[in-house]
Amino acid sequence: MSDLPGIVVTGVSGRMGRMLAQIVAESGKARLVAGVERPGHAWIGQDIGVAMGGAPLGALVTDDPVEAFARAQGVIDFTAPAATVEFAGLAAQARAVHVIGTTGLEEADLEKIGAAARHAVIVRAGNMSLGVNLLTRLTRKIAEALDEDWDIEVVEAHHRMKVDAPSGTALMLGEAAAAGRGVSLKDARVSGRDGITGVRERGTIGFSAIRGGDIVGEHDVIFAADGERVILRHVATDRAVFARGALRAALWGQGRKPGQYDMIDVLGL
């Protein structure tokens, strides 16, 4: 087991953190080295499995990411923008592959992550699932084939606890549609219509977000023209699909040259 890549999970007490820890520990392809939490968290010093209410997993929760990253070959990070930016620099110092599933990153955050990627491998994606990344490729292909007589709408739904909108996956799909059209999403994007908005502007890409219950993740890309529609859809029913994709990315990144990659690279699509 000692020759398997060691993985640290940040934000290990969260929904995705727990799932990631379990998937890594049970994979047989990697070692769970540690979980990272904020200082003062109740889990600090406990075995991750015990903290989750189960059997020991042989890795402790720590509030010292520097020490944890130094013992790892990969860091899987589904936390918050400020934490992810800090972790990117620390993972780069440790030369550990940094897999980023965090959403809501701003341009300034991405610039700092890009600087860290000059020294280590970073795999960043709005969604780590195989199905969503296939959907992304299909979205771009269809956008390339259809002209602006076809309106594009991205509709996403998530659980009530999600704090950012549109989702990172929705934005990833929007970027794919914009790339297919040969335009900038920044220029074409329209989000959250409300009130008297006037007629739809030709060539725009619209976004709508639904929040409720325990919805894991649903994404529709709608191409609508007069008399017909093409609808692409992905529905996730289990967060394990994201965790398995993230682990796959961490393993894929071992031995790669420093730089920024995404799941399209990991999956060879």
Side-chain angles (χ1 to χ4, degrees), residues 136-146 176 180:
T136 302
R137 297 295 278 183
L138 290 170
T139 296
R140 178 165 181 163
K141 282 289 187 184
I142 292 176
E144 288 173 352
L146 302 176

Side-chain angles (χ1 to χ4, degrees), residues 127-139 169 172-173 219 232-236 241-242 245 248 263-264 267 269:
N127 194 299
M128 298 286 174
S129 86
L130 172 60
V132 161
N133 283 279
L134 289 171
L135 178 62
T136 302
R137 297 295 278 183
L138 290 170
T139 296
T169 302
M172 188 168 75
L173 293 167
H219 294 85
L232 303 178
R233 177 159 232 238
H234 179 270
V235 176
V241 300
F242 311 130
R248 181 169 176 173
M263 285 301 288
I264 299 297
L267 299 170
L269 297 175

Side-chain angles (χ1 to χ4, degrees), residues 95-232:
R95 299 299 187 265
V97 174
H98 188 192
V99 177
I100 299 175
T102 303
T103 58
L105 295 162
E106 302 289 345
E107 197 62 40
D109 300 326
L110 296 177
E111 289 177 4
K112 292 174 183 177
I113 289 170
R118 292 199 291 268
H119 306 286
V121 173
I122 292 179
V123 181
R124 184 178 68 84
N127 194 299
M128 298 286 174
S129 86
L130 172 60
V132 161
N133 283 279
L134 289 171
L135 178 62
T136 302
R137 297 295 278 183
L138 290 170
T139 296
R140 178 165 181 163
K141 282 289 187 184
I142 292 176
E144 288 173 352
L146 302 176
D147 62 22
E148 291 187 352
D149 287 339
W150 292 76
D151 300 320
I152 303 176
E153 290 284 318
V154 181
V155 182
E156 54 101 344
H158 284 87
H159 53 88
R160 66 169 67 93
M161 302 301 291
K162 187 166 178 61
V163 298
D164 59 308
S167 69
T169 302
L171 291 172
M172 188 168 75
L173 293 167
E175 290 283 5
R181 284 267 170 94
V183 300
S184 164
L185 181 60
K186 183 179 179 181
D187 296 332
R189 175 178 167 181
V190 176
S191 294
R193 300 182 186 88
D194 185 40
I196 301 173
T197 61
V199 299
R200 181 192 177 103
E201 184 178 342
R202 182 179 170 87
T204 55
I205 298 173
F207 290 83
S208 298
I210 297 166
R211 295 289 177 267
D214 61 354
I215 301 170
V216 174
E218 300 178 4
H219 294 85
D220 293 328
V221 184
I222 303 169
F223 296 85
D226 293 343
E228 58 183 331
R229 281 175 290 168
V230 174
I231 302 174
L232 303 178

Side-chain angles (χ1 to χ4, degrees), residues 1-8 24 27-33 71-74 247 250-252 254:
M1 287 288 289
S2 61
D3 59 344
L4 296 178
I7 304 294
V8 171
V24 172
S27 69
K29 300 176 181 178
R31 295 177 294 113
L32 182 61
V33 169
R71 295 186 284 118
Q73 287 71 53
L247 175 58
L251 297 175
W252 177 89
Q254 301 301 314

